[in-house]
Amino acid sequence: MSDSIFVTRPQLPPLEEFIPYLEEIWSSRILTNGGAFHQQFEQALCEYLGVKHLSLFSNGTLGLVTALQALRIDGEVITTPYSFVATAHSLLWNRIQPVFVDIDARTLNLDPRKIEAAITSRTTAIMPVHCYGHPCDVEAIQEIADKYNLKVIYDAAHAFGVRDAFGSVLRHGDLSVLSFHATKVFTTFEGGAIVCPDARTKQHIDHLKNFGFVDETTVVAPGINGKMSEINAAFGMLQLRHIEQALTERRRVDGFYRSELRDIAGIRCLEGQPDHTVNCAYFPILVEPDYPISRDMLYQKFRNEGIYARRYFYPLIADFPMYREMTSARADNLPAAKLAAQRVLCLPIYPTLTLDDQRRIVDVVRDV
Ligand SMILES: *Cc1c(COP(=O)(O)O)cnc(C)c1O
């Protein structure tokens, strides 16, 4: 009996490599509150990602919640139902009304052609997601935002290291939020960051993530505790040394799946844009009606073989109890998202996935 295969497996460097980092923390006795590793890691990430300013967080969700606070967003925010539930939860947590707009069936990202019809006098912002690390139509979204004077906050939890022809996709919008959760391409166990356009915005966000403290006795805002600890930041520094290698391995798996699945009728792989640097964070396939069995039957067949593919994103956010009564959550408003939630299956992809395991996975799809 072969071992179970999960959809992802966190990339851990050899333990010995982490020991010197721990020794440094132990001898400094600075455990958090913007210590040496926190500062180093912010700097190193800016350089690696190709962005000017960024503020580390203890997780991506607090990053989203704080980004909304930093821009004083209220009223209604247009967002996608086809994402991890934290996207919309960050709005509800700020007492903001999410307004769901359908996705583009080809990219699975928020469909810019549907946004304008959802704008009301209460709309203040758009929160799109670079789903699976495939960049949104950032230009079309910015054009609408400019026309209606809306902010744009990208949930960039999947988009670590993704670049278009001109640079990092994280430069778009007013703010972009990353996640370094254990399941993501780049992990600090738990963690996240807000990418900011200028030093002033970063400083404001730095205050917000530290209870609003500016100095020992001055509190300028009702902030939260969103700080990343030294141990997570140190681990991030170590991970950065291995990220290029990990991305190369992911691209190899992605290439294998694409070539092997190409000729299977009823299986469609999601296409990226050709001039983009991708991170291969996920490998979604669409199980279309001309495939012999349904997505859920294929999912079950995988499980019977000990392969834990995931139905990201099913159910849709709009189908969870705190959202489903909203007008914009109705199925007839979200036909493309509904179909995607029924058809997508994310196959295992991670740097150490062996060629034998990749073959096992492809064989399950082929042998129906
Ligand atoms: C993982 C994820 C989040 C949440 O990030 P955490 O670091 O787990 O809080 C938010 N949005 C999307 C799209 C995600 O995939």
Side-chain angles (χ1 to χ4, degrees):
M1 184 67 197
S2 345
D3 288 339
S4 294
I5 306 175
F6 297 96
V7 74
T8 189
R9 193 160 188 272
Q11 187 71 1
L12 294 176
L15 186 56
E16 316 81 83
E17 288 188 23
F18 195 37
I19 304 296
Y21 293 81
L22 294 176
E23 285 171 348
E24 228 175 294
I25 295 172
W26 257 245
S27 65
S28 78
R29 290 207 145 51
I30 295 169
L31 310 187
T32 186
N33 286 17
F37 280 118
H38 187 281
Q39 289 181 38
Q40 266 182 47
F41 186 37
E42 282 193 347
Q43 194 68 45
L45 267 181
C46 281
E47 277 163 30
Y48 178 76
L49 296 170
V51 299
K52 289 231 173 63
H53 306 277
L54 146 173
S55 180
L56 292 171
F57 272 76
S58 48
N59 62 66
T61 305
L62 274 174
L64 288 171
V65 166
T66 308
L68 292 162
Q69 288 274 330
L71 300 177
R72 299 179 184 284
I73 305 298
D74 60 7
E76 296 175 1
V77 170
I78 288 169
T79 190
T80 170
Y82 191 74
S83 179
F84 181 60
V85 73
T87 310
H89 277 3
S90 72
L91 298 170
L92 279 197
W93 198 258
N94 278 301
R95 304 233 177 281
I96 296 163
Q97 174 76 40
V99 174
F100 297 111
V101 162
D102 205 9
I103 57 173
D104 181 321
R106 198 176 45 84
T107 65
L108 308 186
N109 282 327
L110 197 59
D111 187 344
R113 295 164 300 187
K114 309 261 170 68
I115 293 177
E116 277 193 87
I119 296 175
T120 73
S121 59
R122 289 176 34 81
T123 309
T124 57
I126 308 171
M127 185 184 268
V129 178
H130 300 299
C131 195
Y132 306 129
H134 295 277
C136 292
D137 187 343
V138 289
E139 267 144 42
I141 290 170
Q142 195 57 52
E143 208 167 289
I144 297 164
D146 290 342
K147 184 169 164 194
Y148 292 91
N149 196 23
L150 307 175
K151 301 286 188 194
V152 182
I153 298 170
Y154 281 103
D155 180 339
H158 299 178
F160 186 92
V162 176
R163 281 181 275 271
D164 61 25
F166 304 99
S168 171
V169 299
L170 304 170
R171 74 187 184 281
H172 296 293
D174 294 277
L175 296 171
S176 288
V177 181
L178 290 163
S179 165
F180 310 141
H181 184 254
T183 55
K184 306 300 205 263
V185 163
F186 178 87
T187 180
T188 58
F189 287 45
E190 292 271 3
I194 304 182
V195 176
C196 320
D198 54 68
R200 222 177 126 245
T201 310
K202 169 175 160 54
Q203 188 175 55
H204 179 42
I205 288 171
D206 284 346
H207 294 156
L208 285 179
K209 79 173 176 197
N210 188 28
F211 312 99
F213 275 111
V214 169
D215 59 37
E216 220 178 286
T217 52
T218 318
V219 172
V220 292
I224 193 89
N225 182 1
K227 304 185 301 294
M228 177 179 279
S229 86
E230 285 295 277
I231 218 159
N232 300 99
F235 189 76
M237 286 300 294
L238 174 56
Q239 283 287 72
L240 269 184
R241 284 167 37 188
H242 296 274
I243 183 69
E244 276 305 314
Q245 177 70 25
L247 291 176
T248 303
E249 303 287 332
R250 282 178 176 275
R251 287 178 193 128
R252 190 178 42 74
V253 178
D254 180 282
F256 179 81
Y257 282 152
R258 281 181 194 279
S259 68
E260 294 293 311
L261 298 173
R262 187 163 36 217
D263 301 325
I264 302 180
I267 296 296
R268 174 158 77 88
C269 300
L270 206 65
E271 294 299 326
Q273 281 117 301
D275 59 342
H276 283 47
T277 307
V278 294
N279 63 10
C280 303
Y282 300 86
F283 197 88
I285 58 170
L286 284 102
V287 182
E288 312 227 282
D290 52 330
Y291 189 70
I293 60 174
S294 71
R295 188 277 309 267
D296 285 341
M297 286 168 78
L298 180 59
Y299 166 79
Q300 195 52 53
K301 190 165 177 280
F302 268 123
R303 288 181 73 97
N304 298 344
E305 302 282 335
I307 299 166
Y308 296 87
R310 290 292 298 264
R311 290 171 291 185
Y312 290 140
F313 291 98
Y314 165 86
L316 284 184
I317 298 178
D319 288 336
F320 288 116
M322 60 297 291
Y323 301 102
R324 66 183 170 218
E325 303 302 327
M326 297 175 181
T327 314
S328 69
R330 285 171 40 177
D332 59 359
N333 187 45
L334 308 169
K338 281 275 172 193
L339 267 189
Q342 281 166 28
R343 292 183 176 173
V344 171
L345 192 61
C346 284
L347 301 187
I349 185 165
Y350 48 85
T352 53
L353 188 67
T354 64
L355 191 56
D356 276 351
D357 284 346
Q358 294 168 55
R359 289 209 179 95
R360 242 175 95 192
I361 290 160
V362 167
D363 287 345
V364 171
V365 183
R366 194 180 280 128
D367 301 338
V368 288

